[in-house]
Amino acid sequence: MFDRFYPGMSWAAHQAHWPHAQHSRFVQAGGIQWHVQMMGQGPCMLLLHGTGSGSFSWRGLLPTLAQHFTVVAPDLPGHAFSSRGAEGALSLPGMAEGLRALLLQLKLTPQVIVGHSAGAAIAAHMALHMESLSRSTLIGLNPAWLPLPGVASWLFGPAAKLAALNPLSAWATAKLAAKPGAVSEWLGRTGSLLDAQGLDLYTRVLSDSGHVHGVLSMMAAWRLKPLAARLHEIRNPVFMHIGEQDQTVPPALADQACGLLPQAQQHVQSGLGHLAHEQDPTGTSQFILGCC
């Protein structure tokens, strides 16, 4: 419906500034044109970024992880350079189904799935619904496995739905993001401070109305209660890396998740926020490899 308003980001316009652009490819699967970065060789590791981000979120981790794995890092549907797909593709089950189609197209089965924030929710949903992933290791980086409290629960639902239905909302948000200092302030609210490259990349995506509309549509479609009700059924090995200063997903939710997942092991990192893996890619890479 809104494709004519928000056609999505142009790869040609941003390719020269994109990290690891030489490892990017575009793959048609499940009614979605995926932008995927692939590096390395060996067992497959799938990296799933969080809401509002993109595969660029893994820029600091890819070279290290690719020394041990075939690393697959897609832009989620409606984010950065991946298309939105059909109606329902931006919900939690829809994204999981889209990724299933992508993995089938690539002929890969992940031995390890690393998910940041909402990406961890997608990973958990996939583990519950795909027999081929029943033994895969799940690694959640500040995982959003349980419904968020307070204002965040309102944003991921009714407020986002209203914004997504208004074609001017994404345009206005993108205009705000383009103002000097805006994205730095927004990211600061997550408890994380990023370097100049990170700020530039987030400014590029958040000042693009196509990306923003995809994010708002995802938030409007997002429902975590069904996943939370079945989280205890996961039998996969589970590891969590938690930024102590996370202002987006309260660290206390990790303790609640551990109560539902007795096999889970949790590591709390002081001084880091919601984007801990971007603040400390070396330390996060070492944590991930230590879990495998």
Side-chain angles (χ1 to χ4, degrees), residues 34 58 63 74 90 100 108 136 147 162 164 169 198 224 251 255 268 273 275:
W34 298 84
W58 308 107
L90 300 182
R100 184 191 68 82
L108 292 171
S136 300
L162 289 172
S169 296
L224 276 178
D255 295 329
V268 179
L275 302 174

Side-chain angles (χ1 to χ4, degrees), residues 110-131:
Q111 178 178 307
V112 181
I113 309 177
V114 183
H116 171 243
S117 194
I122 300 170
H125 184 95
M126 293 171 71
L128 283 167
H129 292 85
M130 294 175 61
E131 179 62 30

Side-chain angles (χ1 to χ4, degrees), residues 142-159:
N142 293 316
W145 284 331
L146 300 172
L148 300 176
V151 174
S153 65
W154 168 250
L155 290 175
F156 275 83

Side-chain angles (χ1 to χ4, degrees), residues 224-246:
L224 276 178
K225 286 185 178 179
L227 174 65
R230 294 193 59 192
L231 201 63
H232 68 280
E233 298 177 26
I234 292 176
R235 297 293 179 264
N236 305 63
V238 176
F239 299 87
M240 288 185 281
H241 186 271
I242 308 299
E244 187 182 40
Q245 303 301 318
D246 191 344

Side-chain angles (χ1 to χ4, degrees), residues 8-116:
M9 292 184 67
S10 165
W11 175 245
H14 296 279
Q15 180 179 1
H17 304 276
W18 223 249
H20 310 302
Q22 70 273 27
H23 296 286
S24 289
R25 63 174 72 180
F26 287 86
V27 180
Q28 193 75 29
I32 295 167
Q33 179 172 266
W34 298 84
H35 169 244
V36 186
Q37 293 198 324
M38 296 182 62
M39 294 177 64
Q41 56 185 357
C44 177
M45 174 183 286
L46 177 64
L47 304 180
L48 302 176
H49 66 78
T51 310
S53 188
S55 56
F56 68 87
S57 181
W58 308 107
R59 61 194 177 281
L61 292 79
L62 282 173
T64 300
L65 298 177
Q67 294 176 25
H68 306 272
F69 290 89
T70 297
V71 184
V72 180
D75 290 338
L76 292 176
H79 287 63
F81 305 107
S82 288
S83 67
R84 287 188 287 275
E87 183 163 348
L90 300 182
S91 67
L92 176 51
M95 287 201 172
E97 176 59 24
L99 286 162
R100 184 191 68 82
L102 174 63
L103 292 169
L104 285 173
Q105 182 66 29
L106 295 174
K107 297 181 172 59
L108 292 171
T109 300
Q111 178 178 307
V112 181
I113 309 177
V114 183
H116 171 243

Side-chain angles (χ1 to χ4, degrees), residues 188-211:
R189 295 175 190 168
T190 71
S192 292
L193 296 175
L194 299 187
D195 61 16
Q197 183 189 33
L199 290 175
D200 175 69
L201 291 165
Y202 274 101
T203 299
R204 287 176 182 276
V205 296
L206 294 175
S207 61
D208 185 278
S209 57
H211 173 89

